């Protein structure tokens, strides 16, 4: 097992495989301190993405123990990224927002911004996700509109998939604000992304929203079979992704019984959020 294998699994979203590789690497006595911290960084985020509270606590504790007493800014940033992700997971929203805002500003002002662009995009993703889940849709739009042209270009070049997620959150905000035409324009722009043909999962997500919007805007038929087939292409969805998706469909189904039928069925796929009382106590 190697760090390169870990990175590959992590960047392609194979988080359980990445955790298995990471656990193996932690037993490698030849790793430097920096390499071990990088492994723990990946493992902590993987545990967060699969929403396993016990794993999150285990790896975050280990990561904390391996942080130097006088850590440099470069060493602190990945650790703080994990902390932001975990605080949002544990519903410690005020603390998470304060830390997210501080981290975004710090990274934005770094001369080597591109070295931390993934973390910037990820923290922005968490922040927008929080606004969506809290009904703060206008705040989500304002946050995105606060990005300057340079930052959007940097995100587009370095982390196109994460930028697609961020644009997806912006689209969700407009959908829930019933600004159908603006949401549709964003979806049409995303569907033109060249690499989307290699990502059928993402494309299917967009097509369901596109079909629902065309149904509302122009009266086009919203096919039960065709859209459910697209939904199945998206499976398995993470609980977080499905929750956002259903929030969008809920906003749309209020305007059409054809959409409601599928919304009711798709709701059955959503599982309850995992409890993490021990994790919350540790963060307190």
């Amino acid at each position: 097992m190697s760090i390169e294998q870990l990175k590959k699994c992590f960047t392609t979203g194979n988080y359980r495989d990445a955790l298995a590789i990471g656990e193996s690497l932690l037993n490698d006595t030849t790793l430097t301190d920096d390499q071990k911290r990088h492994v723990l960084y990946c493992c902590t985020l993987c545990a967060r993405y699969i929403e396993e509270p016990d794993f999150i606590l285990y790896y975050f504790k280990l990561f904390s123990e391996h942080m130097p007493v006088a850590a440099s800014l470069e060493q602190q940033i990945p650790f703080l990224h994990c902390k932001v992700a975990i605080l949002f997971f544990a519903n410690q929203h005020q603390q998470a927002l304060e830390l997210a805002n501080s981290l975004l500003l710090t990274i934005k002002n770094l001369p080597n911004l591109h070295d931390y662009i993934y973390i910037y995009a990820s923290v922005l993703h968490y922040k927008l996700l929080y606004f969506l889940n809290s009904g703060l849709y206008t705040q989500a739009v304002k946050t995105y509109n606060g990005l300057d042209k340079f930052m959007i270009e940097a995100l587009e070049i370095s982390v196109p998939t994460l930028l697609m997620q961020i644009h997806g959150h912006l689209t969700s905000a407009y959908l829930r604000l019933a600004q159908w035409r603006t949401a549709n324009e964003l979806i049409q722009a995303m569907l033109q992304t060249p690499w989307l043909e290699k990502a059928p999962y993402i494309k299917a997500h967009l097509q369901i929203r596109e079909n629902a919007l065309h149904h509302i805007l122009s009266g086009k038929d919203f096919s039960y079979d065709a859209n459910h087939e697209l939904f199945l292409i998206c499976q398995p969805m993470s609980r977080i992704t499905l929750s956002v998706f259903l929030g969008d469909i809920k906003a749309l189904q209020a305007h059409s019984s054809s959409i409601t039928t599928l919304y009711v069925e798709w709701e059955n796929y959503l599982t309850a959020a995992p409890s993490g009382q021990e994790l919350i106590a540790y963060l307190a």
Side-chain angles (χ1 to χ4, degrees):
M1 298 295 181
S2 69
I3 289 180
E4 286 306 312
Q5 288 175 298
L6 172 63
K7 288 179 179 178
K8 183 177 180 181
C9 283
F10 180 81
T11 55
T12 54
N14 296 316
Y15 299 124
R16 293 190 183 277
D17 289 345
L19 272 177
I21 294 171
E23 187 62 37
S24 175
L25 286 169
L26 290 174
N27 296 318
D28 186 345
T29 57
T30 67
L31 291 184
T32 66
D33 288 343
D34 281 344
Q35 287 174 324
K36 183 161 284 190
R37 278 191 292 272
H38 182 72
V39 171
L40 287 169
Y41 166 72
C42 291
C43 286
T44 304
L45 287 181
C46 285
R48 164 66 181 88
Y49 293 148
I50 64 175
E51 297 191 296
E52 292 280 0
D54 291 344
F55 286 170
I56 295 170
L57 181 59
Y58 172 73
Y59 287 111
F60 189 59
K61 275 185 174 179
L62 274 181
F63 198 178
S64 302
E65 292 165 6
H66 282 80
M67 286 293 290
V69 175
S72 67
L73 181 61
E74 288 76 12
Q75 291 168 330
Q76 290 180 50
I77 288 175
F79 180 78
L80 292 176
H81 176 201
C82 290
K83 189 170 184 179
V84 167
I86 293 168
L87 284 168
F88 276 124
F89 172 79
N91 296 318
Q92 307 300 299
H93 297 140
Q94 189 58 41
Q95 191 180 352
L97 272 177
E98 289 173 2
L99 183 54
N101 288 336
S102 173
L103 191 51
L104 289 171
L105 183 61
T106 296
I107 295 174
K108 182 180 178 181
N109 291 324
L110 288 174
N112 56 337
L113 163 67
H114 285 277
D115 292 342
Y116 299 96
I117 196 69
Y118 169 78
I119 294 178
Y120 185 95
S122 183
V123 172
L124 180 61
H125 152 70
Y126 293 133
K127 185 176 175 180
L128 292 174
L129 191 58
Y130 163 70
F131 288 146
L132 290 179
N133 290 337
S134 303
L136 301 171
Y137 309 132
T138 301
Q139 192 60 42
V141 173
K142 287 181 178 177
T143 298
Y144 178 84
N145 288 342
L147 298 175
D148 58 36
K149 183 180 178 182
F150 170 78
M151 181 59 73
I152 292 174
E153 287 177 351
L155 293 169
E156 189 170 23
I157 292 168
S158 303
V159 284
T161 305
L162 258 177
L163 182 60
M164 177 74 81
Q165 278 190 301
I166 289 166
H167 283 157
H169 294 334
L170 179 64
T171 304
S172 294
Y174 280 119
L175 280 171
R176 299 178 197 192
L177 289 166
Q179 296 188 27
W180 312 128
R181 296 191 185 281
T182 303
N184 187 49
E185 287 171 7
L186 285 165
I187 288 172
Q188 296 309 313
M190 285 188 280
L191 284 169
Q192 299 305 311
T193 305
W195 53 263
L196 200 60
E197 291 302 324
K198 297 179 182 178
Y201 168 90
I202 298 174
K203 187 174 181 179
H205 266 274
L206 293 171
Q207 287 174 320
I208 294 171
R209 291 172 172 88
E210 178 189 36
N211 292 341
L213 281 169
H214 285 181
H215 175 66
I216 289 172
L217 289 169
S218 60
K220 181 180 177 182
D221 179 52
F222 187 77
S223 166
Y224 178 99
D225 291 337
N227 285 286
H228 189 57
E229 184 176 342
L230 288 170
F231 179 79
L232 294 177
I233 290 172
C234 299
Q235 302 309 312
M237 282 193 212
S238 71
R239 191 195 62 81
I240 295 171
T241 302
L242 181 56
S243 179
V244 173
F245 173 80
L246 287 174
D248 292 353
I249 302 303
K250 183 178 181 180
L252 291 158
Q253 63 90 32
H255 299 267
S256 171
S257 59
S258 297
I259 301 173
T260 301
T261 305
L262 278 170
Y263 171 71
V264 171
E265 179 166 342
W266 293 341
E267 267 194 310
N268 295 324
Y269 286 75
L270 186 63
T271 58
S275 174
Q277 294 304 315
E278 190 177 350
L279 176 62
I280 293 170
Y282 177 75
L283 293 168

mmCIF file of all heavy atoms in Angstrom, residues 123-150:
data_model
loop_
_atom_site.group_PDB
_atom_site.id
_atom_site.type_symbol
_atom_site.label_atom_id
_atom_site.label_comp_id
_atom_site.label_asym_id
_atom_site.label_seq_id
_atom_site.Cartn_x
_atom_site.Cartn_y
_atom_site.Cartn_z
ATOM 1 N N VAL A 123 -14.213 23.637 2.087
ATOM 2 C CA VAL A 123 -14.797 24.416 3.189
ATOM 3 C C VAL A 123 -15.952 25.269 2.672
ATOM 4 O O VAL A 123 -16.994 25.399 3.330
ATOM 5 C CB VAL A 123 -13.719 25.280 3.872
ATOM 6 C CG1 VAL A 123 -14.347 26.239 4.886
ATOM 7 C CG2 VAL A 123 -12.682 24.391 4.560
ATOM 8 N N LEU A 124 -15.792 25.847 1.484
ATOM 9 C CA LEU A 124 -16.882 26.613 0.877
ATOM 10 C C LEU A 124 -18.096 25.718 0.626
ATOM 11 O O LEU A 124 -19.245 26.112 0.859
ATOM 12 C CB LEU A 124 -16.404 27.236 -0.437
ATOM 13 C CG LEU A 124 -17.425 28.071 -1.222
ATOM 14 C CD1 LEU A 124 -17.909 29.259 -0.398
ATOM 15 C CD2 LEU A 124 -16.804 28.552 -2.540
ATOM 16 N N HIS A 125 -17.844 24.505 0.180
ATOM 17 C CA HIS A 125 -18.912 23.512 -0.036
ATOM 18 C C HIS A 125 -19.674 23.254 1.259
ATOM 19 O O HIS A 125 -20.907 23.256 1.279
ATOM 20 C CB HIS A 125 -18.277 22.235 -0.586
ATOM 21 C CG HIS A 125 -18.996 20.970 -0.278
ATOM 22 N ND1 HIS A 125 -20.206 20.632 -0.840
ATOM 23 C CD2 HIS A 125 -18.669 19.944 0.549
ATOM 24 C CE1 HIS A 125 -20.595 19.451 -0.384
ATOM 25 N NE2 HIS A 125 -19.684 19.019 0.462
ATOM 26 N N TYR A 126 -18.953 23.035 2.372
ATOM 27 C CA TYR A 126 -19.612 22.804 3.658
ATOM 28 C C TYR A 126 -20.466 24.000 4.067
ATOM 29 O O TYR A 126 -21.575 23.848 4.594
ATOM 30 C CB TYR A 126 -18.583 22.555 4.764
ATOM 31 C CG TYR A 126 -17.791 21.289 4.633
ATOM 32 C CD1 TYR A 126 -16.404 21.304 4.785
ATOM 33 C CD2 TYR A 126 -18.410 20.071 4.374
ATOM 34 C CE1 TYR A 126 -15.660 20.142 4.678
ATOM 35 C CE2 TYR A 126 -17.674 18.905 4.257
ATOM 36 C CZ TYR A 126 -16.301 18.951 4.408
ATOM 37 O OH TYR A 126 -15.566 17.811 4.292
ATOM 38 N N LYS A 127 -19.924 25.180 3.843
ATOM 39 C CA LYS A 127 -20.627 26.404 4.251
ATOM 40 C C LYS A 127 -21.928 26.568 3.467
ATOM 41 O O LYS A 127 -22.988 26.851 4.048
ATOM 42 C CB LYS A 127 -19.705 27.607 4.031
ATOM 43 C CG LYS A 127 -20.253 28.929 4.533
ATOM 44 C CD LYS A 127 -19.221 30.040 4.353
ATOM 45 C CE LYS A 127 -19.798 31.396 4.725
ATOM 46 N NZ LYS A 127 -18.810 32.477 4.558
ATOM 47 N N LEU A 128 -21.864 26.368 2.162
ATOM 48 C CA LEU A 128 -23.062 26.478 1.331
ATOM 49 C C LEU A 128 -24.079 25.390 1.697
ATOM 50 O O LEU A 128 -25.291 25.633 1.719
ATOM 51 C CB LEU A 128 -22.693 26.386 -0.146
ATOM 52 C CG LEU A 128 -21.881 27.558 -0.712
ATOM 53 C CD1 LEU A 128 -21.448 27.260 -2.146
ATOM 54 C CD2 LEU A 128 -22.681 28.852 -0.664
ATOM 55 N N LEU A 129 -23.581 24.214 1.977
ATOM 56 C CA LEU A 129 -24.449 23.103 2.372
ATOM 57 C C LEU A 129 -25.197 23.444 3.665
ATOM 58 O O LEU A 129 -26.398 23.165 3.799
ATOM 59 C CB LEU A 129 -23.609 21.840 2.562
ATOM 60 C CG LEU A 129 -24.328 20.511 2.729
ATOM 61 C CD1 LEU A 129 -25.216 20.208 1.541
ATOM 62 C CD2 LEU A 129 -23.308 19.399 2.926
ATOM 63 N N TYR A 130 -24.496 24.062 4.592
ATOM 64 C CA TYR A 130 -25.143 24.488 5.839
ATOM 65 C C TYR A 130 -26.256 25.492 5.557
ATOM 66 O O TYR A 130 -27.359 25.389 6.107
ATOM 67 C CB TYR A 130 -24.109 25.101 6.791
ATOM 68 C CG TYR A 130 -24.760 25.925 7.883
ATOM 69 C CD1 TYR A 130 -25.494 25.312 8.901
ATOM 70 C CD2 TYR A 130 -24.671 27.313 7.873
ATOM 71 C CE1 TYR A 130 -26.118 26.063 9.885
ATOM 72 C CE2 TYR A 130 -25.296 28.070 8.849
ATOM 73 C CZ TYR A 130 -26.012 27.450 9.855
ATOM 74 O OH TYR A 130 -26.641 28.187 10.816
ATOM 75 N N PHE A 131 -25.988 26.466 4.680
ATOM 76 C CA PHE A 131 -27.006 27.466 4.352
ATOM 77 C C PHE A 131 -28.238 26.794 3.731
ATOM 78 O O PHE A 131 -29.374 27.145 4.055
ATOM 79 C CB PHE A 131 -26.447 28.519 3.401
ATOM 80 C CG PHE A 131 -25.472 29.468 4.038
ATOM 81 C CD1 PHE A 131 -24.394 29.970 3.319
ATOM 82 C CD2 PHE A 131 -25.624 29.876 5.354
ATOM 83 C CE1 PHE A 131 -23.500 30.848 3.905
ATOM 84 C CE2 PHE A 131 -24.730 30.757 5.946
ATOM 85 C CZ PHE A 131 -23.659 31.240 5.222
ATOM 86 N N LEU A 132 -28.016 25.822 2.853
ATOM 87 C CA LEU A 132 -29.143 25.111 2.235
ATOM 88 C C LEU A 132 -29.959 24.363 3.282
ATOM 89 O O LEU A 132 -31.190 24.420 3.297
ATOM 90 C CB LEU A 132 -28.637 24.124 1.182
ATOM 91 C CG LEU A 132 -28.047 24.696 -0.110
ATOM 92 C CD1 LEU A 132 -27.583 23.554 -1.009
ATOM 93 C CD2 LEU A 132 -29.058 25.571 -0.840
ATOM 94 N N ASN A 133 -29.269 23.653 4.158
ATOM 95 C CA ASN A 133 -29.966 22.850 5.172
ATOM 96 C C ASN A 133 -30.684 23.709 6.206
ATOM 97 O O ASN A 133 -31.606 23.238 6.874
ATOM 98 C CB ASN A 133 -28.973 21.916 5.870
ATOM 99 C CG ASN A 133 -28.476 20.811 4.970
ATOM 100 O OD1 ASN A 133 -29.138 20.451 3.995
ATOM 101 N ND2 ASN A 133 -27.309 20.269 5.269
ATOM 102 N N SER A 134 -30.259 24.963 6.323
ATOM 103 C CA SER A 134 -30.850 25.863 7.316
ATOM 104 C C SER A 134 -31.885 26.802 6.715
ATOM 105 O O SER A 134 -32.413 27.662 7.419
ATOM 106 C CB SER A 134 -29.735 26.687 7.998
ATOM 107 O OG SER A 134 -28.778 25.847 8.592
ATOM 108 N N GLY A 135 -32.152 26.660 5.420
ATOM 109 C CA GLY A 135 -33.131 27.521 4.770
ATOM 110 C C GLY A 135 -32.618 28.919 4.477
ATOM 111 O O GLY A 135 -33.405 29.823 4.171
ATOM 112 N N LEU A 136 -31.306 29.107 4.547
ATOM 113 C CA LEU A 136 -30.704 30.433 4.314
ATOM 114 C C LEU A 136 -30.276 30.540 2.850
ATOM 115 O O LEU A 136 -29.100 30.713 2.528
ATOM 116 C CB LEU A 136 -29.517 30.635 5.265
ATOM 117 C CG LEU A 136 -29.857 30.540 6.756
ATOM 118 C CD1 LEU A 136 -28.587 30.534 7.602
ATOM 119 C CD2 LEU A 136 -30.766 31.692 7.170
ATOM 120 N N TYR A 137 -31.249 30.462 1.960
ATOM 121 C CA TYR A 137 -30.961 30.368 0.527
ATOM 122 C C TYR A 137 -30.355 31.654 -0.030
ATOM 123 O O TYR A 137 -29.424 31.613 -0.838
ATOM 124 C CB TYR A 137 -32.235 30.001 -0.232
ATOM 125 C CG TYR A 137 -32.946 28.808 0.344
ATOM 126 C CD1 TYR A 137 -34.319 28.833 0.578
ATOM 127 C CD2 TYR A 137 -32.247 27.653 0.688
ATOM 128 C CE1 TYR A 137 -34.974 27.741 1.134
ATOM 129 C CE2 TYR A 137 -32.887 26.558 1.238
ATOM 130 C CZ TYR A 137 -34.254 26.609 1.459
ATOM 131 O OH TYR A 137 -34.893 25.526 2.008
ATOM 132 N N THR A 138 -30.861 32.790 0.405
ATOM 133 C CA THR A 138 -30.312 34.067 -0.065
ATOM 134 C C THR A 138 -28.870 34.217 0.402
ATOM 135 O O THR A 138 -28.021 34.740 -0.343
ATOM 136 C CB THR A 138 -31.164 35.239 0.458
ATOM 137 O OG1 THR A 138 -32.510 35.086 -0.012
ATOM 138 C CG2 THR A 138 -30.622 36.572 -0.032
ATOM 139 N N GLN A 139 -28.566 33.750 1.608
ATOM 140 C CA GLN A 139 -27.200 33.821 2.116
ATOM 141 C C GLN A 139 -26.269 32.949 1.284
ATOM 142 O O GLN A 139 -25.107 33.310 1.049
ATOM 143 C CB GLN A 139 -27.166 33.377 3.578
ATOM 144 C CG GLN A 139 -25.863 33.684 4.303
ATOM 145 C CD GLN A 139 -25.555 35.169 4.341
ATOM 146 O OE1 GLN A 139 -26.434 35.990 4.559
ATOM 147 N NE2 GLN A 139 -24.304 35.524 4.108
ATOM 148 N N ALA A 140 -26.765 31.806 0.823
ATOM 149 C CA ALA A 140 -25.957 30.941 -0.048
ATOM 150 C C ALA A 140 -25.615 31.661 -1.347
ATOM 151 O O ALA A 140 -24.472 31.624 -1.820
ATOM 152 C CB ALA A 140 -26.711 29.646 -0.340
ATOM 153 N N VAL A 141 -26.606 32.342 -1.942
ATOM 154 C CA VAL A 141 -26.380 33.089 -3.190
ATOM 155 C C VAL A 141 -25.374 34.214 -2.945
ATOM 156 O O VAL A 141 -24.443 34.417 -3.738
ATOM 157 C CB VAL A 141 -27.712 33.661 -3.730
ATOM 158 C CG1 VAL A 141 -27.449 34.575 -4.919
ATOM 159 C CG2 VAL A 141 -28.650 32.522 -4.130
ATOM 160 N N LYS A 142 -25.536 34.950 -1.846
ATOM 161 C CA LYS A 142 -24.623 36.055 -1.541
ATOM 162 C C LYS A 142 -23.199 35.556 -1.337
ATOM 163 O O LYS A 142 -22.237 36.205 -1.767
ATOM 164 C CB LYS A 142 -25.099 36.787 -0.281
ATOM 165 C CG LYS A 142 -26.333 37.648 -0.480
ATOM 166 C CD LYS A 142 -26.717 38.344 0.819
ATOM 167 C CE LYS A 142 -27.930 39.253 0.624
ATOM 168 N NZ LYS A 142 -28.341 39.888 1.915
ATOM 169 N N THR A 143 -23.071 34.402 -0.699
ATOM 170 C CA THR A 143 -21.734 33.843 -0.455
ATOM 171 C C THR A 143 -21.046 33.499 -1.769
ATOM 172 O O THR A 143 -19.871 33.826 -1.975
ATOM 173 C CB THR A 143 -21.839 32.589 0.439
ATOM 174 O OG1 THR A 143 -22.390 32.965 1.699
ATOM 175 C CG2 THR A 143 -20.475 31.954 0.653
ATOM 176 N N TYR A 144 -21.784 32.855 -2.667
ATOM 177 C CA TYR A 144 -21.193 32.528 -3.969
ATOM 178 C C TYR A 144 -20.860 33.806 -4.742
ATOM 179 O O TYR A 144 -19.777 33.916 -5.330
ATOM 180 C CB TYR A 144 -22.133 31.664 -4.801
ATOM 181 C CG TYR A 144 -21.543 31.373 -6.170
ATOM 182 C CD1 TYR A 144 -20.648 30.319 -6.355
ATOM 183 C CD2 TYR A 144 -21.826 32.192 -7.265
ATOM 184 C CE1 TYR A 144 -20.068 30.079 -7.584
ATOM 185 C CE2 TYR A 144 -21.243 31.955 -8.503
ATOM 186 C CZ TYR A 144 -20.368 30.905 -8.655
ATOM 187 O OH TYR A 144 -19.777 30.677 -9.870
ATOM 188 N N ASN A 145 -21.771 34.761 -4.749
ATOM 189 C CA ASN A 145 -21.545 36.001 -5.493
ATOM 190 C C ASN A 145 -20.388 36.821 -4.926
ATOM 191 O O ASN A 145 -19.867 37.717 -5.599
ATOM 192 C CB ASN A 145 -22.814 36.855 -5.514
ATOM 193 C CG ASN A 145 -23.885 36.261 -6.412
ATOM 194 O OD1 ASN A 145 -23.591 35.421 -7.267
ATOM 195 N ND2 ASN A 145 -25.130 36.657 -6.216
ATOM 196 N N GLY A 146 -19.964 36.494 -3.703
ATOM 197 C CA GLY A 146 -18.825 37.175 -3.098
ATOM 198 C C GLY A 146 -17.484 36.660 -3.601
ATOM 199 O O GLY A 146 -16.430 37.251 -3.309
ATOM 200 N N LEU A 147 -17.493 35.567 -4.365
ATOM 201 C CA LEU A 147 -16.244 35.046 -4.941
ATOM 202 C C LEU A 147 -15.813 35.941 -6.097
ATOM 203 O O LEU A 147 -16.629 36.309 -6.941
ATOM 204 C CB LEU A 147 -16.448 33.620 -5.456
ATOM 205 C CG LEU A 147 -16.838 32.554 -4.430
ATOM 206 C CD1 LEU A 147 -17.128 31.243 -5.145
ATOM 207 C CD2 LEU A 147 -15.750 32.378 -3.384
ATOM 208 N N ASP A 148 -14.535 36.270 -6.139
ATOM 209 C CA ASP A 148 -14.066 37.090 -7.257
ATOM 210 C C ASP A 148 -13.715 36.211 -8.459
ATOM 211 O O ASP A 148 -13.653 34.973 -8.355
ATOM 212 C CB ASP A 148 -12.869 37.966 -6.854
ATOM 213 C CG ASP A 148 -11.684 37.154 -6.327
ATOM 214 O OD1 ASP A 148 -11.435 36.052 -6.839
ATOM 215 O OD2 ASP A 148 -11.005 37.633 -5.405
ATOM 216 N N LYS A 149 -13.506 36.845 -9.588
ATOM 217 C CA LYS A 149 -13.246 36.135 -10.846
ATOM 218 C C LYS A 149 -11.996 35.268 -10.744
ATOM 219 O O LYS A 149 -11.959 34.135 -11.237
ATOM 220 C CB LYS A 149 -13.099 37.142 -11.990
ATOM 221 C CG LYS A 149 -12.896 36.506 -13.345
ATOM 222 C CD LYS A 149 -12.761 37.561 -14.443
ATOM 223 C CE LYS A 149 -12.519 36.922 -15.800
ATOM 224 N NZ LYS A 149 -12.348 37.952 -16.867
ATOM 225 N N PHE A 150 -10.971 35.787 -10.071
ATOM 226 C CA PHE A 150 -9.720 35.040 -9.919
ATOM 227 C C PHE A 150 -9.960 33.728 -9.173
ATOM 228 O O PHE A 150 -9.448 32.676 -9.555
ATOM 229 C CB PHE A 150 -8.696 35.889 -9.166
ATOM 230 C CG PHE A 150 -7.465 35.124 -8.748
ATOM 231 C CD1 PHE A 150 -6.470 34.826 -9.667
ATOM 232 C CD2 PHE A 150 -7.320 34.673 -7.437
ATOM 233 C CE1 PHE A 150 -5.340 34.097 -9.285
ATOM 234 C CE2 PHE A 150 -6.204 33.951 -7.052
ATOM 235 C CZ PHE A 150 -5.206 33.668 -7.970
#
